[in-house]
Amino acid sequence: MEFSKAVVTSGPTREWIDPVRYISNASSGKMGFHIAEAIAKWIPEVTYIHGQVQGEYRSPEGSRRISVETTSEMKDAVLSEIQGATILIMAAAPADFRPAESKESKIKKEDGSEVILLELVKNPDILKAVSSEILRKLIPGCCLVGFAAETDFLEEHALGKLKSKNLNYIVGNYVGKNEKGFGEVETSVVIYSPLGKVAEIGPLSKALISERIVEFLKTDVSKVVTRS
Ligand code: PMT
């Protein structure tokens, strides 16, 4: 199979509570940025869809970029760019929940109450939306690669996500406070396919980890398990 177009997502999304506050996470965009730079050396057309990444991770060399803010916007951008794509790598950390209501004015803390309850609703799952389009044969043969950011039980959770999101590969990594997984740190990843653990990479810089992930995919995709 010829790999002609890649879509790579990166960074966190933001879900606004009111005009000055939002829900997000600690993703910097670094991993997705380096994946996009590495894959551009292999695949001629790369679209980089990013959330609110740090400035230096906005424009990977060799990619066309699309900036989004919320998880719904990232889903719309992915579904529109995935047409004609042969591989999707979701290194982004989209917010899983959003406030049920985003207030038009700043919520005041001077109203006397000590507790403020925030009702959250689930965001759409982007990878599940894409894999259902594949199953519906609207984008046949597209290779789906997810990331699993876990604080514990990496293999169990990563394989669970691989299965539930119907992916070809998932790249598992540990994340958490104290310089783990997010941002500038050196890190380690484990790649899983439906066959189980297929590669371990690191600890290395994210630039080198990304190159190794892309090298692995380049040589292994011929063995991609066909979906039924
Ligand atoms: O950006 P950095 O600071 O360099 O950090 C890199 C990273 C830790 C963010 C990256 O390596 C990583 O693990 N990205 C995935 C983070 C994540 O959201 O993991 P998850 O286990 O919650 O989601 C599993 C997969 O589903 C991911 O590929 C994610 O992009 C995707 N997803 C998640 C939520 C959602 N609503 N739709 C999705 O498709």
Side-chain angles (χ1 to χ4, degrees):
M1 176 171 186
E2 197 194 327
F3 280 73
S4 53
K5 177 180 177 185
V7 176
V8 178
T9 68
S10 181
T13 58
R14 283 181 185 170
E15 305 293 344
W16 291 91
I17 298 167
D18 69 14
V20 297
R21 305 178 178 99
Y22 54 79
I23 298 173
S24 191
N25 58 65
S27 169
S28 63
K30 184 169 181 149
M31 184 70 94
F33 171 90
H34 286 297
I35 293 276
E37 289 217 322
I39 213 160
K41 294 175 193 156
W42 166 31
I43 293 180
E45 185 183 349
V46 181
T47 304
Y48 179 67
I49 300 172
H50 65 86
Q52 300 305 298
V53 295
Q54 289 178 17
E56 65 267 44
Y57 306 131
R58 291 178 77 82
S59 300
E61 210 177 315
S63 294
R64 185 168 64 87
R65 80 181 176 89
I66 298 175
S67 173
V68 299
E69 190 164 60
T70 64
T71 295
S72 287
E73 285 173 19
M74 184 172 276
K75 177 181 159 231
D76 291 346
V78 168
L79 286 180
S80 116
E81 285 299 317
I82 200 75
Q83 305 302 326
T86 36
I87 185 164
L88 167 66
I89 304 187
M90 285 281 305
D96 289 314
F97 302 95
R98 67 180 185 280
E101 186 192 1
S102 176
K103 301 279 185 197
E104 280 187 14
S105 304
K106 184 180 171 187
I107 299 168
K108 295 289 173 204
K109 63 178 183 299
E110 293 86 10
D111 73 353
S113 50
E114 287 300 313
V115 177
I116 293 178
L117 294 177
L118 184 62
E119 195 182 357
L120 300 176
V121 292
K122 249 185 171 173
N123 267 330
D125 190 292
I126 301 166
L127 278 169
K128 280 187 184 167
V130 174
S131 60
S132 73
E133 297 287 283
I134 290 174
L135 287 177
R136 288 168 57 213
K137 308 276 185 242
L138 294 180
I139 34 171
C142 182
C143 177
L144 292 190
V145 184
F147 270 71
E150 305 298 340
T151 55
D152 43 33
F153 304 109
L154 184 66
E155 176 155 341
E156 186 183 329
H157 292 313
L159 286 173
K161 287 175 186 174
L162 176 108
K163 202 168 170 204
S164 71
K165 294 174 193 250
N166 199 19
L167 308 177
N168 299 104
Y169 299 97
I170 195 155
V171 181
N173 55 173
Y174 278 113
V175 291
K177 288 189 283 186
N178 307 324
E179 303 271 296
K180 224 180 185 187
F182 292 118
E184 295 307 314
V185 290
E186 285 211 334
T187 193
S188 301
V189 301
V190 183
I191 306 178
Y192 302 93
S193 81
L195 305 172
K197 187 199 289 189
V198 286
E200 268 186 86
I201 306 170
L204 285 170
S205 69
K206 287 186 179 173
L208 288 174
I209 293 256
S210 300
E211 279 181 17
R212 301 276 171 87
I213 292 172
V214 169
E215 271 165 30
F216 170 85
L217 292 172
K218 206 171 160 180
T219 53
D220 205 70
V221 277
S222 57
K223 300 178 213 156
V224 158
V225 177
T226 314
R227 293 179 185 78
S228 53

